Short mmCIF file of all heavy atoms in Angstrom, two decimals:
data_model
loop_
_atom_site.label_atom_id
_atom_site.label_comp_id
_atom_site.label_asym_id
_atom_site.label_seq_id
_atom_site.Cartn_x
_atom_site.Cartn_y
_atom_site.Cartn_z
N ALA Z 4 5.94 -5.01 9.08
CA ALA Z 4 6.79 -3.82 9.01
C ALA Z 4 8.15 -4.21 8.44
O ALA Z 4 8.62 -5.33 8.62
CB ALA Z 4 6.94 -3.20 10.39
N ASP Z 6 12.31 -2.93 7.85
CA ASP Z 6 13.40 -2.02 8.21
C ASP Z 6 13.95 -1.44 6.92
O ASP Z 6 14.49 -2.18 6.09
CB ASP Z 6 14.49 -2.79 8.96
CG ASP Z 6 15.65 -1.91 9.39
OD1 ASP Z 6 15.62 -0.69 9.11
OD2 ASP Z 6 16.59 -2.43 10.01
N THR Z 9 17.86 -2.20 6.08
CA THR Z 9 18.32 -3.53 5.72
C THR Z 9 17.37 -4.27 4.78
O THR Z 9 17.76 -5.22 4.12
CB THR Z 9 18.50 -4.39 6.98
OG1 THR Z 9 17.23 -4.53 7.63
CG2 THR Z 9 19.50 -3.77 7.94
N GLY Z 10 16.10 -3.85 4.74
CA GLY Z 10 15.11 -4.53 3.91
C GLY Z 10 14.54 -5.77 4.57
O GLY Z 10 13.78 -6.51 3.96
N SER Z 11 14.90 -6.00 5.84
CA SER Z 11 14.41 -7.19 6.54
C SER Z 11 13.08 -6.90 7.24
O SER Z 11 12.79 -5.76 7.60
CB SER Z 11 15.44 -7.68 7.55
OG SER Z 11 15.66 -6.69 8.53
N LYS Z 16 6.97 -5.80 15.34
CA LYS Z 16 6.13 -4.61 15.20
C LYS Z 16 4.72 -4.98 14.76
O LYS Z 16 4.44 -6.13 14.39
CB LYS Z 16 6.76 -3.64 14.19
CG LYS Z 16 8.02 -2.99 14.71
CD LYS Z 16 8.41 -1.84 13.84
CE LYS Z 16 9.56 -1.09 14.48
NZ LYS Z 16 9.93 0.07 13.71
N LEU Z 23 -9.06 -9.20 1.16
CA LEU Z 23 -9.04 -9.23 -0.29
C LEU Z 23 -10.40 -8.94 -0.91
O LEU Z 23 -10.48 -8.44 -2.03
CB LEU Z 23 -8.55 -10.60 -0.78
CG LEU Z 23 -7.17 -11.02 -0.30
CD1 LEU Z 23 -6.83 -12.39 -0.83
CD2 LEU Z 23 -6.14 -10.02 -0.72
N TRP Z 28 -15.29 -6.92 4.16
CA TRP Z 28 -15.37 -5.66 4.90
C TRP Z 28 -16.79 -5.46 5.44
O TRP Z 28 -16.98 -5.12 6.60
CB TRP Z 28 -15.00 -4.47 4.00
CG TRP Z 28 -13.53 -4.34 3.79
CD1 TRP Z 28 -12.81 -4.71 2.69
CD2 TRP Z 28 -12.59 -3.80 4.71
NE1 TRP Z 28 -11.50 -4.44 2.88
CE2 TRP Z 28 -11.33 -3.87 4.10
CE3 TRP Z 28 -12.69 -3.26 5.98
CZ2 TRP Z 28 -10.18 -3.43 4.72
CZ3 TRP Z 28 -11.53 -2.82 6.60
CH2 TRP Z 28 -10.30 -2.91 5.97
N LEU Z 30 -19.09 -7.70 5.88
CA LEU Z 30 -19.39 -8.75 6.84
C LEU Z 30 -18.79 -8.43 8.21
O LEU Z 30 -19.47 -8.57 9.24
CB LEU Z 30 -18.85 -10.09 6.33
CG LEU Z 30 -19.24 -11.33 7.10
CD1 LEU Z 30 -20.73 -11.57 6.98
CD2 LEU Z 30 -18.47 -12.52 6.55
N CYS Z 35 -19.16 -6.85 13.83
CA CYS Z 35 -18.63 -6.04 14.92
C CYS Z 35 -19.54 -4.87 15.28
O CYS Z 35 -19.29 -4.17 16.27
CB CYS Z 35 -17.25 -5.49 14.55
SG CYS Z 35 -16.02 -6.77 14.33
N GLU Z 38 -18.88 0.65 11.92
CA GLU Z 38 -18.64 1.03 10.54
C GLU Z 38 -17.19 1.47 10.35
O GLU Z 38 -16.64 2.18 11.19
CB GLU Z 38 -19.58 2.16 10.13
CG GLU Z 38 -19.57 2.42 8.65
CD GLU Z 38 -20.69 3.35 8.23
OE1 GLU Z 38 -21.76 3.29 8.84
OE2 GLU Z 38 -20.45 4.14 7.30
N THR Z 45 -9.79 2.75 2.32
CA THR Z 45 -9.24 1.53 2.91
C THR Z 45 -9.28 0.37 1.93
O THR Z 45 -8.31 -0.39 1.80
CB THR Z 45 -10.00 1.18 4.20
OG1 THR Z 45 -9.99 2.32 5.06
CG2 THR Z 45 -9.36 0.02 4.91
N HIS Z 60 4.60 -11.90 -6.66
CA HIS Z 60 4.50 -13.36 -6.53
C HIS Z 60 4.64 -14.03 -7.90
O HIS Z 60 5.25 -15.09 -8.02
CB HIS Z 60 3.16 -13.73 -5.88
CG HIS Z 60 3.02 -15.19 -5.59
ND1 HIS Z 60 3.76 -15.82 -4.61
CD2 HIS Z 60 2.23 -16.13 -6.13
CE1 HIS Z 60 3.43 -17.09 -4.57
NE2 HIS Z 60 2.50 -17.31 -5.49
N ASP Z 70 4.87 -12.35 0.73
CA ASP Z 70 6.31 -12.33 1.00
C ASP Z 70 7.03 -11.11 0.39
O ASP Z 70 8.03 -10.67 0.92
CB ASP Z 70 6.98 -13.60 0.49
CG ASP Z 70 6.79 -14.77 1.43
OD1 ASP Z 70 6.33 -14.54 2.57
OD2 ASP Z 70 7.07 -15.91 1.03
N GLY Z 78 6.60 7.79 12.34
CA GLY Z 78 6.24 9.20 12.21
C GLY Z 78 5.33 9.41 11.01
O GLY Z 78 4.25 9.93 11.12
N GLU Z 80 4.00 7.29 7.22
CA GLU Z 80 3.77 5.90 6.82
C GLU Z 80 3.88 5.75 5.31
O GLU Z 80 3.47 6.62 4.56
CB GLU Z 80 2.37 5.46 7.26
CG GLU Z 80 2.03 4.05 6.89
CD GLU Z 80 0.62 3.66 7.30
OE1 GLU Z 80 -0.19 4.54 7.59
OE2 GLU Z 80 0.35 2.46 7.32
N ARG Z 86 9.39 -5.28 -1.79
CA ARG Z 86 10.76 -5.72 -1.53
C ARG Z 86 11.21 -6.61 -2.68
O ARG Z 86 10.74 -7.72 -2.83
CB ARG Z 86 10.83 -6.47 -0.21
CG ARG Z 86 10.49 -5.63 0.99
CD ARG Z 86 10.72 -6.37 2.31
NE ARG Z 86 10.54 -7.81 2.24
CZ ARG Z 86 9.40 -8.44 2.53
NH1 ARG Z 86 8.33 -7.76 2.87
NH2 ARG Z 86 9.34 -9.76 2.46
N THR Z 87 12.13 -6.08 -3.48
CA THR Z 87 12.72 -6.88 -4.55
C THR Z 87 14.14 -7.24 -4.13
O THR Z 87 14.61 -6.81 -3.08
CB THR Z 87 12.72 -6.12 -5.88
OG1 THR Z 87 13.54 -4.95 -5.74
CG2 THR Z 87 11.32 -5.71 -6.29
N PHE Z 92 10.80 -0.39 -2.98
CA PHE Z 92 9.98 0.59 -3.69
C PHE Z 92 8.75 0.87 -2.84
O PHE Z 92 8.02 -0.06 -2.48
CB PHE Z 92 9.56 0.06 -5.06
CG PHE Z 92 10.70 -0.19 -5.98
CD1 PHE Z 92 11.29 -1.45 -6.07
CD2 PHE Z 92 11.21 0.83 -6.76
CE1 PHE Z 92 12.35 -1.69 -6.90
CE2 PHE Z 92 12.28 0.61 -7.60
CZ PHE Z 92 12.85 -0.65 -7.68
N TRP Z 98 -6.05 8.99 -1.17
CA TRP Z 98 -7.28 8.93 -1.95
C TRP Z 98 -7.83 10.34 -2.11
O TRP Z 98 -8.85 10.71 -1.52
CB TRP Z 98 -8.28 7.99 -1.28
CG TRP Z 98 -9.34 7.50 -2.19
CD1 TRP Z 98 -10.67 7.73 -2.07
CD2 TRP Z 98 -9.18 6.72 -3.37
NE1 TRP Z 98 -11.35 7.14 -3.10
CE2 TRP Z 98 -10.46 6.50 -3.92
CE3 TRP Z 98 -8.08 6.18 -4.04
CZ2 TRP Z 98 -10.67 5.77 -5.07
CZ3 TRP Z 98 -8.30 5.45 -5.18
CH2 TRP Z 98 -9.57 5.25 -5.69
N GLU Z 102 -3.46 18.28 -5.00
CA GLU Z 102 -2.01 18.15 -4.95
C GLU Z 102 -1.46 18.44 -3.56
O GLU Z 102 -0.44 17.89 -3.15
CB GLU Z 102 -1.35 19.08 -5.97
CG GLU Z 102 0.14 18.90 -6.07
CD GLU Z 102 0.77 19.72 -7.17
OE1 GLU Z 102 0.06 20.43 -7.90
OE2 GLU Z 102 2.00 19.65 -7.32
N PRO Z 106 2.37 14.70 0.63
CA PRO Z 106 3.45 15.34 1.40
C PRO Z 106 4.72 15.57 0.59
O PRO Z 106 5.43 16.52 0.82
CB PRO Z 106 3.70 14.36 2.54
CG PRO Z 106 3.21 13.05 2.05
CD PRO Z 106 2.11 13.35 1.08
N PHE Z 107 5.00 14.70 -0.38
CA PHE Z 107 6.21 14.79 -1.20
C PHE Z 107 7.45 15.02 -0.35
O PHE Z 107 8.26 15.88 -0.64
CB PHE Z 107 6.07 15.90 -2.26
CG PHE Z 107 5.00 15.63 -3.28
CD1 PHE Z 107 4.00 16.56 -3.50
CD2 PHE Z 107 4.99 14.47 -4.00
CE1 PHE Z 107 3.01 16.33 -4.44
CE2 PHE Z 107 4.00 14.22 -4.94
CZ PHE Z 107 3.02 15.15 -5.16
N THR Z 116 6.41 6.13 -5.01
CA THR Z 116 5.38 6.54 -5.96
C THR Z 116 4.12 6.82 -5.16
O THR Z 116 3.69 5.98 -4.38
CB THR Z 116 5.11 5.44 -7.00
OG1 THR Z 116 6.33 5.17 -7.71
CG2 THR Z 116 4.04 5.87 -7.99
N SER Z 119 -2.88 8.10 -6.26
CA SER Z 119 -3.99 9.00 -5.99
C SER Z 119 -5.28 8.46 -6.59
O SER Z 119 -5.30 7.40 -7.22
CB SER Z 119 -3.70 10.38 -6.59
OG SER Z 119 -3.70 10.29 -8.00
N ALA Z 130 3.26 10.99 -8.96
CA ALA Z 130 1.92 10.67 -8.46
C ALA Z 130 1.14 10.10 -9.63
O ALA Z 130 1.17 10.64 -10.74
CB ALA Z 130 1.23 11.92 -7.92
N LEU Z 137 -2.60 0.13 -11.69
CA LEU Z 137 -3.02 -1.26 -11.79
C LEU Z 137 -3.04 -1.74 -13.22
O LEU Z 137 -2.76 -2.91 -13.48
CB LEU Z 137 -4.42 -1.42 -11.15
CG LEU Z 137 -4.50 -1.15 -9.66
CD1 LEU Z 137 -5.92 -1.34 -9.17
CD2 LEU Z 137 -3.52 -2.00 -8.88
N ALA Z 138 -3.34 -0.85 -14.16
CA ALA Z 138 -3.32 -1.24 -15.57
C ALA Z 138 -1.90 -1.54 -16.05
O ALA Z 138 -1.70 -2.36 -16.93
CB ALA Z 138 -3.93 -0.13 -16.43
#
Side-chain angles (χ1 to χ4, degrees):
D6 181 0
T9 63
S11 62
K16 290 193 172 183
L23 302 179
W28 283 102
L30 189 66
C35 296
E38 191 169 326
T45 306
H60 186 69
D70 281 349
E80 180 182 17
R86 296 186 330 266
T87 62
F92 297 93
W98 200 242
E102 185 174 359
F107 295 125
T116 300
S119 68
L137 295 180

